[in-house]
Amino acid sequence: MKLLSLCIPTNGISEWVFPVLDAIYSQKVATDEWEVVVTNNGNDKEFHEKILSYAHSHDNLIYKQTDAFMFKNQIEALKIATGEYLKFVNHRAILVPDTIEWMLSVIKENLGEKPIIFWSNGSLKYKEPRINSTFDGFVRDLREYASWTTGVGVWKSDFETIPEEWIYNSISPHSDVLYWVRDRKQYIIEDKRWSYELEHSDVKKGSYDYYKAFGVEEIMIPVQLYIDGDITAKTLKSVIKSYEKCVAKFYTTFNHLKVPCSYDLSGFKDNMGIFLNKKKVIFLSYMYIPRIFFGRMYYRMIARKGNSK
């Protein structure tokens, strides 16, 4: 058994997946302790043939073509992974140097207690790893970033306790994995930067109802945690507030700045007012215009620099 499985669920977009794989295999670390798992629910025959050839050249790469619908392809990757710790990697995420060695060291340090770890990639601006002794504190500190699949990792021994017949959340199956264990002694948020995203267009990301997903469905997850008695009302309110800001930023990006995307944006009116205040979201969205406009320019510059290396 390997120690670490890097799980890459994809719909088979070559321009993203192969640079990600190249970055992984350029890491200067022996391959005896880790593996790569790619599950593909796309129908691009050229990608399929190319990944088979790539796997033939790397004996620690597992590839499977699946018919899993949309995000459930994530779970297929976890099912066939063999590592003691299973870590999602987005199919656009370029690993920075020494990432695998660092992840292996974190896993080895925690093999005994097996705390729940979220790898937030510098997004939360924590100077040191955030360590919580309660599930409630963990959920509160993660805020809306819990919706980010690539931050999720799970001990295989924990994943195997999820019943085979479990019906995963359709929009966010990784949340079932992240929040499956609610009584661990430690919950850790590792906020070190470990990857950057390839410069990409949002026109290939999916066609689901974006505002229903982030204005209702993602929020229903912490609501259920509150109903189950696993988080406090204070934490639930804090998380909902974070989604309010998150949706406002999306509205800025796709409705004000008109960034092209494949998402269905027509559901904004119908889905506001269930958990989020429509007027407040729109008010916040205008405030975010300068920050998001210049932020997108900055991250495009960073991605270009990374691609030129």
Side-chain angles (χ1 to χ4, degrees):
M1 177 186 285
K2 302 285 186 179
L3 187 61
L4 169 65
S5 296
L6 299 174
C7 300
I8 309 176
T10 181
N11 57 347
I13 299 178
S14 293
E15 66 197 70
W16 296 343
V17 176
F18 292 104
V20 168
L21 290 174
D22 289 343
I24 289 173
Y25 283 102
S26 70
Q27 302 270 306
K28 300 184 185 302
V29 57
T31 60
D32 56 325
E33 292 186 310
W34 58 279
E35 67 182 8
V36 177
V37 177
V38 178
T39 50
N40 171 33
N41 64 353
N43 54 14
D44 187 321
K45 291 183 180 179
E46 184 178 345
F47 173 85
H48 180 72
E49 294 301 322
K50 189 174 180 180
I51 193 69
L52 285 175
S53 176
Y54 202 103
H56 184 72
S57 302
H58 299 279
D59 59 8
N60 69 332
L61 194 158
I62 301 171
Y63 170 69
K64 181 181 179 182
Q65 177 78 40
T66 83
D67 58 2
F69 182 67
M70 288 185 65
F71 303 111
K72 291 183 179 179
N73 194 34
Q74 299 169 4
I75 304 304
E76 295 305 305
L78 299 182
K79 286 180 177 179
I80 64 173
T82 68
E84 285 198 56
Y85 190 85
L86 319 178
K87 173 74 189 71
F88 281 124
V89 175
N90 188 279
H91 62 176
R92 295 181 304 274
I94 301 294
L95 268 59
V96 301
D98 304 319
T99 289
I100 295 177
E101 183 177 9
W102 168 66
M103 286 185 172
L104 286 169
S105 69
V106 172
I107 292 164
K108 289 174 182 177
E109 288 171 7
N110 291 286
L111 275 172
E113 295 292 333
K114 289 186 168 56
I116 306 305
I117 307 172
F118 190 90
W119 313 74
S120 50
N121 200 34
S123 300
L124 291 163
K125 313 302 181 188
Y126 296 149
K127 293 181 180 179
E128 300 290 337
R130 182 65 61 95
I131 301 174
N132 267 291
S133 59
T134 67
F135 180 75
D136 180 69
F138 180 63
V139 175
R140 184 173 58 252
D141 283 347
L142 278 183
R143 309 196 306 269
E144 82 277 14
Y145 288 94
S147 67
W148 190 51
T149 306
T150 312
V152 175
V154 61
W155 299 98
K156 187 173 180 64
S157 56
D158 287 334
F159 177 67
E160 289 177 337
T161 65
I162 301 177
E164 183 67 29
E165 66 276 11
W166 184 260
I167 300 175
Y168 287 89
N169 185 295
S170 59
I171 195 69
S172 190
H174 76 269
S175 65
D176 290 337
V177 176
L178 175 64
Y179 291 150
W180 183 251
V181 179
R182 306 179 189 182
D183 58 356
R184 199 58 45 96
K185 290 182 179 179
Q186 276 193 347
Y187 292 84
I188 301 174
I189 300 174
E190 282 283 358
D191 202 37
K192 178 179 176 180
R193 184 84 174 176
W194 56 270
S195 71
Y196 65 89
E197 277 208 353
L198 285 165
E199 185 178 6
H200 64 277
S201 167
D202 290 297
V203 298
K204 297 182 179 180
K205 285 191 170 182
S207 58
Y208 55 92
D209 186 331
Y210 208 53
Y211 292 117
K212 180 181 179 183
F214 287 95
V216 179
E217 292 173 308
E218 288 287 354
I219 296 174
M220 281 297 300
I221 295 167
V223 167
Q224 188 60 54
L225 295 178
Y226 173 68
I227 291 171
D228 291 345
D230 292 307
I231 65 171
T232 62
K234 182 179 179 180
T235 290
L236 176 60
K237 291 175 184 177
S238 175
V239 173
I240 291 175
K241 188 173 182 180
S242 73
Y243 272 104
E244 186 174 65
K245 295 177 181 177
C246 178
V247 170
K249 291 174 185 177
F250 293 150
Y251 196 86
T252 300
T253 301
F254 300 118
N255 294 75
H256 291 319
L257 300 179
K258 305 295 183 183
V259 172
C261 69
S262 58
Y263 306 124
D264 176 2
L265 303 178
S266 64
F268 180 79
K269 181 179 178 181
D270 287 343
N271 291 292
M272 294 303 102
I274 299 174
F275 293 112
L276 306 181
N277 183 289
K278 177 184 174 183
K279 290 183 179 180
K280 189 171 183 181
V281 168
I282 293 176
F283 173 77
L284 288 171
S285 72
Y286 281 104
M287 296 181 65
Y288 288 131
I289 289 175
R291 184 192 308 181
I292 292 176
F293 177 77
F294 290 108
R296 287 182 66 85
M297 291 179 63
Y298 172 76
Y299 283 112
R300 279 200 295 267
M301 180 184 69
I302 295 297
R304 287 184 185 127
K305 285 184 177 179
N307 293 339
S308 66
K309 290 181 180 179

